[in-house]
Amino acid sequence: MPNDLIKISGAVEKLIYQSSDSWYSVCDVCTDDDKSITVVGIMPYVSVGEGIEAEGEWVTNKDYGKQFKVSTYKKTLPKQKNSILRYLSSGAIRGVGAKIAQKIVSQYGEDSFNVIENHPEWLMQINGISRKKAYDISNDFKEKAQIRELMTFSCGAITVNLAIKFAKRWGRNALGVIKENPYLLCLDGNGISFKRADEIAFGFGIASNNAYRIESGIKYVMSVFASRDGHTHVSKETLIDATRKLLGVDEQEIVSVLDKKGGVDGVSQLLIKNVPSVVLNKLYFAEQNIAKRLIKLNKSAVSLGDGNVEYMIMELESRLGIKYAALQKKAIWESIINGVTIITGGPGTGKTTIVKALLQIFGKFGISCALCAPTGRASKRMSEATQSEAKTIHRLLEVTKGEYTDVERFNRDNSNPLDEDVVIVDESSMIDVSLMNALLMALKPGTRLILIGDTNQLPSVGEGNVLNDIIMSESFVTVCLNEIFRQASQSGIVVNAHKINRGEHPDLSEKYDDFFFIQKDDEQIPEYIADLCKNRLPKKYGITDGIQVIAPMKKGICGTQSLNFVLQKELNPSSIQRAEHTAGAERIFRVGDRVMQTKNNYEAEWHTENELLNSQGMGVFNGDVGKIEKIDKVDQIVLVDFLGKKIEYKLSSLDEIDLSYAVTVHKSQGSEYPIVIVPISYKCPPMLLTRNLIYTAITRAEKIVILIGDKTTFFKMIDNNLKQNRNTNLEYLLRSAFNEDN
């Protein structure tokens, strides 16, 4: 620690501001020599009434004057009865408000903290504290002490959720483990940048060419290529170049670590298509397993008899009074006689009609079916369309999470396969390599797999290009639906979506009841969208919750971040009647806000007040949309209602949800909304000006789509059919396996 840092100590008198995201705090401190100073910096969980010992420097803020900027600090709990009461009354401990604090201090005085930490059962002697609440108070007190230590050590780089995970994984030794290996912070999807982990490591004197630093850099770069770009492998040359830029070390030092005996843990070198390449082992083995299992499934399906199938289709047409189109009939036929079938098509091409027919025919044969989709909204839509239960793939596979890691575990696998004889998967273009591998592991031999999707939409957010690779391998029957049916042919959404898919410009002068383009400059778009959402659309269509803004980008005046701020202000403004909580400098959550879950959380407990649903369960998933029902500052929770399933979030764990008045096109995948509004900014980054992105956005609308913005940019998107290349190996593996079997 530099010698010129100043030391101060005192007691926190007033907490002026604290971000629950970055934990940047501003507080007034009464120093030991009885001076009042303003202290600023990263200070997790600092609370009124507690002592503070800090090192830092004096700075002058142009608006607020002289302040003490903290570099490092530690907290001490108050020892005097009045100070203890003040601390407990500040809301520092979840579940303890002013009244409960008064009772605890009255009963136990200066021994209050000892009782809370070591004898929670004694708290049950106080009126109003149940056994559960007593242990919740104690656990929160102890948890925050360790979390505070971890977050203080990392100067706020570790989030609350990550600190909790590390504390569970390594217990009281968590800080020691991280000090020994700071690069654990940026690996395994922990959410810390390599740069931040580097800064912490350098603080411990780790050299830039340290072998473990280089190995961690290699693994980090490979994980970025997978999560950001969707690659399951990259050329060795590409990996070395990217790692060199990240680490700032000589290329030969990277090669030495990569080529060392035993290699890099979790990474392998292979010759792929005659190019020296590097793979993440888990993804390479997943692609291999997908190829092998798909080929085996296709061979192991038991024949139902061609005559029986033909009769079933004819009988169904007669009973329902309909006539299936030729490609629909082919899709039904192939799905019944083959082990693996792929059905693709855009909106209005009859995919749902085919699923309904398959359910009827398989039911006649006494064959059980499971319906599933990658997201909650997609599975809900599938259920509504077919009048049959559909689940997310995660729920179908009975997903759990490791106690100490975010690695998904599935109770359904090759040792405990699914019972159903047919599995029908909708929105299959969204399935990444890891999820497809998990699904196939849970299918017993003889199971029929039917994949339904639209290959013209954006690819999966996760790694790989599974549906496209399966189709391109030409190893399985694929039926491409291209006929738009009568009712759909009258829809501007359907007609223009297909035009866009063919690279044609829609005639924007043509009048439709469900497809509108409104020319506006970027500066006019936010205000116009707010007026549509607040006034014009609810007045005309009687819809409020069914309006969704879907934007190509996050940043900028027409990005989701800016639009969420504007729409929250207009649709759910600040009011003394609506509690709110500030999470970071730029995020305010308010009762009544629409929010979206941004990551899978398998441990989240939900309950419902609907007698027709299960009363309780676990799990909330990336893309689930809900509404904030309650914000409780005393119990430090936010209650969110996800379509009847209610989940409590700690105020310190709001990094899992975000406002969802506006969402990105990527986040909208697998969902449909009654009314969709799409801002089209002429300042949109070139990488987002693509045909499949605007096509995906438009096809999220069930009834009405409104495009607002620049016509020239809209046409540029349609003209640009470039798709991001993903380095995958599945197509090659499928072709090889198929050729070996034939």
Side-chain angles (χ1 to χ4, degrees):
M1 188 64 61
N3 294 326
D4 57 353
L5 287 182
I6 302 166
K7 295 181 179 181
I8 63 110
S9 62
V12 179
E13 285 192 317
K14 182 181 180 181
L15 184 60
I16 300 170
Y17 172 78
Q18 186 171 75
S19 164
S20 59
D21 285 351
S22 67
W23 292 98
Y24 180 83
S25 305
V26 180
C27 59
D28 287 342
V29 172
C30 180
T31 64
D32 292 343
D33 54 0
D34 208 28
K35 293 180 181 178
S36 182
I37 63 173
T38 300
V39 178
V40 301
I42 305 297
M43 295 179 285
Y45 291 124
V46 68
S47 299
V48 171
E50 64 188 0
I52 180 173
E53 297 176 3
E55 292 182 324
E57 60 183 338
W58 290 104
V59 296
T60 301
N61 184 286
K62 65 178 183 179
D63 296 319
Y64 302 108
K66 191 176 182 180
Q67 297 176 331
F68 187 83
K69 184 178 180 181
V70 169
S71 294
T72 62
Y73 88 107
K74 65 178 181 179
K75 300 199 305 180
T76 58
L77 292 172
K79 298 178 181 179
Q80 302 300 318
K81 188 174 179 180
N82 288 341
S83 298
I84 293 172
L85 176 60
R86 194 176 180 198
Y87 173 80
L88 292 177
S89 299
S90 70
I93 301 176
R94 185 182 181 194
V96 178
K99 291 182 179 179
I100 293 293
Q102 180 67 60
K103 292 179 180 179
I104 292 174
V105 176
S106 295
Q107 181 96 348
Y108 299 111
E110 295 177 358
D111 201 34
S112 295
F113 290 135
N114 177 47
V115 170
I116 291 171
E117 181 172 12
N118 300 310
H119 304 287
E121 68 278 6
W122 294 3
L123 295 175
M124 295 163 55
Q125 299 174 17
I126 296 173
N127 186 34
I129 300 182
S130 64
R131 178 180 180 82
K132 181 180 184 303
K133 184 162 187 172
Y135 280 89
D136 284 346
I137 290 171
S138 180
N139 290 336
D140 192 66
F141 180 79
K142 289 184 285 189
E143 184 180 84
K144 282 177 178 172
Q146 189 172 24
I147 290 169
R148 182 169 62 244
E149 184 181 36
L150 289 168
M151 294 176 69
T152 301
F153 153 75
S154 69
C155 297
I158 301 176
T159 64
V160 174
N161 285 338
L162 187 54
I164 291 171
K165 183 169 73 174
F166 282 145
K168 286 181 178 179
R169 186 186 301 180
W170 293 303
R172 293 188 179 274
N173 192 38
L175 183 57
V177 171
I178 295 171
K179 283 182 176 180
E180 182 179 344
N181 178 13
Y183 294 103
L184 289 171
L185 297 173
C186 67
L187 300 176
D188 300 324
N190 286 329
I192 303 298
S193 70
F194 191 90
K195 180 181 178 182
R196 190 69 191 89
D198 237 1
E199 290 172 355
I200 295 171
F202 288 155
F204 297 138
I206 293 178
S208 62
N209 63 348
N210 176 278
Y212 189 78
R213 177 176 183 260
I214 294 174
E215 182 171 322
S216 298
I218 290 169
K219 291 195 284 188
Y220 181 78
V221 168
M222 286 298 297
S223 69
V224 170
F225 276 132
S227 62
R228 184 193 65 194
D229 302 323
H231 299 319
T232 61
H233 66 86
V234 294
S235 71
K236 184 175 182 179
E237 180 182 358
T238 299
L239 172 64
I240 291 171
D241 185 57
T243 307
R244 179 183 58 78
K245 291 176 180 177
L246 174 72
L247 301 179
V249 299
D250 186 74
E251 179 179 310
Q252 189 54 48
E253 292 182 294
I254 299 170
V255 173
S256 296
V257 172
L258 195 58
D259 292 345
K260 70 178 181 179
K261 185 177 180 180
V264 174
D265 182 44
V267 174
S268 295
Q269 297 186 56
L270 300 168
L271 196 66
I272 298 179
K273 300 173 185 176
N274 295 319
V275 176
S277 302
V278 183
V279 299
L280 283 172
N281 293 344
K282 62 179 182 180
L283 298 183
Y284 179 72
F285 293 141
E287 285 187 311
Q288 281 190 316
N289 194 55
I290 290 170
K292 291 176 182 177
R293 286 186 170 268
L294 282 174
I295 295 295
K296 287 183 179 179
L297 279 180
N298 203 39
K299 291 179 64 177
S300 62
V302 178
S303 173
L304 300 178
D306 289 355
N308 286 336
V309 174
E310 185 176 5
Y311 171 77
M312 287 282 187
I313 295 174
M314 292 173 59
E315 189 274 335
L316 193 58
E317 287 180 319
S318 175
R319 180 157 49 87
L320 298 178
I322 62 174
K323 185 71 176 176
Y324 295 116
L327 284 176
Q328 284 184 310
K329 189 177 293 187
K330 177 177 174 59
I332 296 168
W333 182 286
E334 299 290 0
S335 298
I336 292 171
I337 67 172
N338 290 294
V340 177
T341 307
I342 298 94
I343 303 171
T344 70
T349 55
K351 297 191 293 292
T352 300
T353 300
I354 291 169
V355 175
K356 289 180 178 178
L358 289 172
L359 291 175
Q360 294 258 6
I361 293 173
F362 282 129
K364 285 283 187 180
F365 279 113
I367 296 174
S368 58
C369 298
L371 303 182
C372 60
T375 68
R377 292 188 71 92
S379 63
K380 182 174 183 293
R381 195 176 72 250
M382 195 180 190
S383 294
E384 292 169 347
T386 62
Q387 297 298 301
S388 300
E389 183 185 19
K391 299 178 180 179
T392 64
I393 299 175
H394 286 84
R395 289 194 188 281
L396 181 69
L397 301 183
E398 299 173 12
V399 67
T400 59
K401 188 181 74 169
E403 185 178 2
Y404 305 129
T405 71
D406 286 332
V407 176
E408 295 172 342
R409 302 179 185 279
F410 298 97
N411 291 327
R412 294 290 189 168
D413 55 20
N414 57 338
S415 64
N416 182 29
L418 294 168
D419 299 322
E420 289 82 2
D421 302 307
V422 177
V423 175
I424 303 176
V425 188
D426 199 11
E427 297 286 356
S428 296
S429 63
M430 296 180 64
I431 304 177
D432 61 31
V433 165
S434 299
L435 187 57
M436 178 59 80
N437 183 48
L439 176 62
L440 292 173
M441 289 288 286
L443 302 187
K444 61 192 177 187
T447 302
R448 282 175 168 77
L449 176 65
I450 302 166
L451 301 175
I452 301 174
D454 186 345
T455 55
N456 296 302
Q457 291 184 25
L458 292 170
S460 61
V461 175
E463 69 283 337
N465 201 2
V466 174
L467 183 63
N468 188 68
D469 283 353
I470 293 173
I471 293 171
M472 294 303 293
S473 75
E474 300 180 335
S475 302
F476 312 98
V477 171
T478 300
V479 181
C480 299
L481 307 173
N482 52 31
E483 181 181 350
I484 304 175
F485 292 97
R486 185 173 62 184
Q487 185 175 357
S489 67
Q490 300 169 359
S491 163
I493 295 173
V494 173
V495 169
N496 289 320
H498 284 272
K499 281 186 177 181
I500 290 168
N501 190 31
R502 295 192 297 268
E504 301 172 13
H505 293 184
D507 182 356
L508 300 183
S509 65
E510 191 167 347
K511 302 296 182 183
Y512 291 101
D513 293 333
D514 62 348
F515 184 96
F516 305 92
F517 191 98
I518 301 167
Q519 180 78 26
K520 293 288 180 183
D521 293 333
D522 278 17
E523 293 71 22
Q524 299 172 304
I525 291 175
E527 183 180 351
Y528 194 87
I529 289 178
D531 183 48
L532 282 175
C533 295
K534 183 178 181 180
N535 302 309
R536 298 173 66 178
L537 293 176
K539 183 178 180 180
K540 183 173 178 63
Y541 299 104
I543 293 176
T544 52
D545 288 343
I547 303 170
Q548 183 62 58
V549 179
I550 300 178
M553 54 190 184
K554 290 183 180 180
K555 298 181 179 180
I557 191 172
C558 298
T560 56
Q561 294 174 353
S562 175
L563 290 172
N564 270 318
F565 176 80
V566 171
L567 292 170
Q568 181 192 48
K569 183 179 178 181
E570 291 296 323
L571 303 177
N572 193 35
S574 180
S575 167
I576 59 173
Q577 297 175 333
R578 284 191 286 269
E580 63 180 50
H581 173 71
T582 301
E586 299 180 355
R587 297 200 310 161
I588 296 175
F589 291 106
R590 190 172 293 138
V591 169
D593 276 338
R594 288 179 60 189
V595 294
M596 174 181 282
Q597 179 74 14
T598 58
K599 62 183 293 187
N600 292 338
N601 184 338
Y602 311 108
E603 296 178 336
E605 298 180 2
W606 55 260
H607 69 277
T608 178
E609 297 167 0
N610 186 338
E611 295 180 357
L612 298 178
L613 298 174
N614 292 329
S615 59
Q616 59 188 17
M618 297 185 71
V620 60
F621 299 94
N622 187 2
D624 287 353
V625 175
K627 181 176 286 188
I628 294 179
E629 192 171 276
K630 182 175 71 171
I631 295 176
D632 189 324
K633 293 294 184 71
V634 174
D635 286 338
Q636 299 180 25
I637 60 100
V638 172
L639 181 66
V640 180
D641 187 336
F642 291 96
L643 298 175
K645 296 179 178 179
K646 300 183 180 184
I647 295 176
E648 288 187 356
Y649 294 81
K650 293 181 181 180
L651 290 182
S652 58
S653 301
L654 296 181
D655 54 337
E656 290 189 7
I657 61 173
D658 210 346
L659 294 176
S660 65
Y661 297 101
V663 300
T664 62
V665 180
H666 287 84
K667 283 292 184 185
S668 73
Q669 283 181 267
S671 300
E672 282 190 358
Y673 311 90
I675 299 177
V676 166
I677 301 172
V678 185
I680 300 176
S681 166
Y682 68 88
K683 295 179 182 177
C684 186
M687 69 181 67
L688 298 175
L689 297 177
T690 63
R691 183 187 300 173
N692 62 351
L693 188 139
I694 191 62
Y695 173 82
T696 302
I698 288 172
T699 54
R700 299 310 87 205
E702 294 174 337
K703 298 178 179 178
I704 296 167
V705 65
I706 303 171
L707 307 169
I708 304 173
D710 182 56
K711 184 188 301 184
T712 302
T713 302
F714 176 51
F715 290 155
K716 279 183 180 178
M717 297 178 83
I718 296 170
D719 294 340
N720 180 15
N721 197 31
L722 292 176
K723 297 179 180 178
Q724 182 186 16
N725 180 51
R726 293 189 169 192
N727 298 333
T728 64
N729 204 34
L730 180 57
E731 179 188 343
Y732 170 78
L733 291 169
L734 281 168
R735 285 183 181 274
S736 300
F738 181 78
N739 291 333
E740 285 178 9
D741 280 3
N742 293 276

